């Protein structure tokens, strides 16, 4: 929907009021007319652009509500690219967005990244069982090697498990934002993503009480003063078990064991 090349550039060219084809094509002058027509048709089919025919010679293109809610996601992608990608020279935000989407939309890239996020360090064979269960498990290695080359996955070498790199872990905000947008939820829900969202500490459950206890709480016992021992062998009814009970001597068992 948003990943074919030039889609995002044409979508951004339509920012603002509805525009005619010539006005849109002028903003992406490096594209041929046939390419602009193709991209506009794809964006209309994806539900991101609305084509309105006012009459036979007056046609305008404009963002749909779906496209409008996508625009706040783009700075999230650009921010991740600025932090983790290492271009040889500074790039415009649109180039960073396109480069990031290219990395994330390679075949099998997203399923591998999600599986590593859920499982942590995982072997190639275990990844293959999840990502491509109907294919030979060795087919997992070409996309894995590409993700390692892209800097999104780390490994200590042949035979060692794979894990997300720092850049891969940083994709949490990107995947969270894209998932919230695709589900039609506000961007504020990105941090609550079950896989890529922030982890929250679960609070312990408390017993449910239907009413307050009307029985007064027992008075706190006074602190025991430290002093010389007193001889209090008699039981005092006003001070329950306040005295020390003398230990009784244990009678010795008769020789030969317990009588039956």
């Amino acid at each position: 929907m948003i990943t074919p090349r030039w889609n995002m550039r044409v979508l951004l060219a339509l920012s603002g009021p509805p525009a005619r084809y010539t006005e849109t094509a002028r903003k992406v002058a490096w594209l041929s007319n046939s390419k602009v027509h193709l991209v506009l048709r794809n964006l209309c089919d994806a539900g991101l652009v609305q084509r309105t025919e006012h009459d036979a010679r007056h046609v305008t293109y404009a963002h749909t509500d779906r496209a409008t809610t996508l625009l706040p996601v783009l700075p999230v992608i650009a921010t991740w690219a600025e932090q983790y990608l290492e271009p040889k020279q500074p790039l415009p935000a649109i180039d960073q967005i396109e480069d990031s989407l290219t990395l994330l939309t390679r075949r099998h890239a997203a399923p591998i990244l999600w599986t590593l996020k859920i499982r942590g360090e995982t072997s190639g064979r275990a990844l293959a069982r999840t990502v491509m269960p109907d294919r030979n498990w060795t087919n997992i290695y070409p996309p894995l090697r590409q993700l390692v080359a892209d800097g999104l996955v780390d490994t200590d070498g042949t035979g060692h498990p794979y894990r997300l790199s720092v850049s891969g872990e940083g994709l949490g905000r990107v995947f969270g934002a894209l998932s919230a947008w695709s589900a039609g939820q506000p961007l504020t829900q990105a941090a609550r993503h079950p896989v890529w969202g922030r982890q929250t500490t679960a609070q312990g459950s408390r017993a449910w009480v239907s009413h307050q206890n009307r029985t007064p709480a027992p008075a706190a016992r006074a602190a025991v003063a430290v002093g010389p021992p007193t001889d209090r062998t008699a039981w005092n009814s006003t001070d329950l078990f306040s005295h020390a009970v003398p230990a009784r001597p244990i009678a010795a068992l008769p020789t030969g064991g317990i009588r039956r």
Side-chain angles (χ1 to χ4, degrees):
M1 180 183 295
I2 62 176
T3 52
R5 190 166 178 81
W6 312 123
N7 276 19
M8 296 309 305
R9 293 179 184 267
V10 174
L11 192 65
L12 291 176
L14 288 171
S15 298
R20 293 192 176 195
Y21 170 82
T22 54
E23 297 170 340
T24 304
R26 194 180 302 120
K27 296 180 181 179
V28 287
W30 60 89
L31 291 179
S32 63
N33 284 334
S34 60
K35 189 65 176 178
V36 175
H37 274 294
L38 178 61
V39 172
L40 283 173
R41 186 184 308 121
N42 291 338
L43 291 174
C44 289
D45 293 341
L48 297 176
V49 170
Q50 181 178 359
R51 182 179 185 272
T52 304
E53 292 188 13
H54 302 276
D55 56 52
R57 301 178 61 86
H58 185 193
V59 178
T60 58
Y61 298 87
H63 286 169
T64 62
D65 292 340
R66 191 84 170 127
T68 302
T69 57
L70 174 63
L71 296 182
V73 178
L74 302 184
V76 177
I77 302 174
T79 299
W80 176 83
E82 290 177 358
Q83 184 173 358
Y84 295 106
L85 299 186
E86 298 179 357
K88 296 181 180 179
Q89 57 184 1
L91 295 176
I94 183 59
D95 290 332
Q96 295 176 339
I97 292 170
E98 282 191 336
D99 290 347
S100 301
L101 292 176
T102 299
L103 296 180
L104 301 180
T105 56
R106 297 186 195 274
R107 191 177 185 187
H108 302 304
I112 291 174
L113 294 172
W114 282 56
T115 303
L116 289 175
K117 179 63 176 178
I118 295 171
R119 294 187 176 183
E121 283 195 342
T122 309
S123 67
R125 186 186 291 267
L127 279 171
R129 285 198 296 265
T130 301
V131 176
M132 46 182 70
D134 299 330
R135 302 179 62 184
N136 188 299
W137 69 272
T138 58
N139 291 330
I140 196 69
Y141 287 110
L144 262 178
R145 285 193 290 267
Q146 184 62 59
L147 288 171
V148 172
D150 292 338
L152 301 179
V153 173
D154 282 339
T155 182
D156 294 330
T158 304
H160 291 271
Y162 295 85
R163 61 187 177 275
L164 289 179
S165 65
V166 175
S167 301
E169 290 286 354
L171 286 170
R173 293 191 62 192
V174 174
F175 278 130
L178 287 172
S179 297
W181 169 75
S182 63
Q185 298 179 352
L187 193 58
T188 54
Q189 297 296 316
R192 300 182 181 181
H193 193 276
V195 175
W196 296 96
R198 298 187 182 93
Q199 298 295 327
T200 56
T201 304
Q203 296 182 354
S205 59
R206 296 186 302 173
W208 180 77
V209 180
S210 60
H211 62 278
Q212 294 293 332
N213 188 1
R214 298 181 183 273
T215 304
R221 294 184 60 181
V224 179
V226 178
T230 56
D231 184 12
R232 296 182 59 188
T233 57
W235 174 64
N236 188 341
S237 60
T238 61
D239 193 8
L240 187 62
F241 298 131
S242 61
H243 64 287
V245 179
R248 293 187 302 169
I250 300 176
L253 293 177
T255 305
I258 301 176
R259 294 182 182 272
R260 298 184 183 274

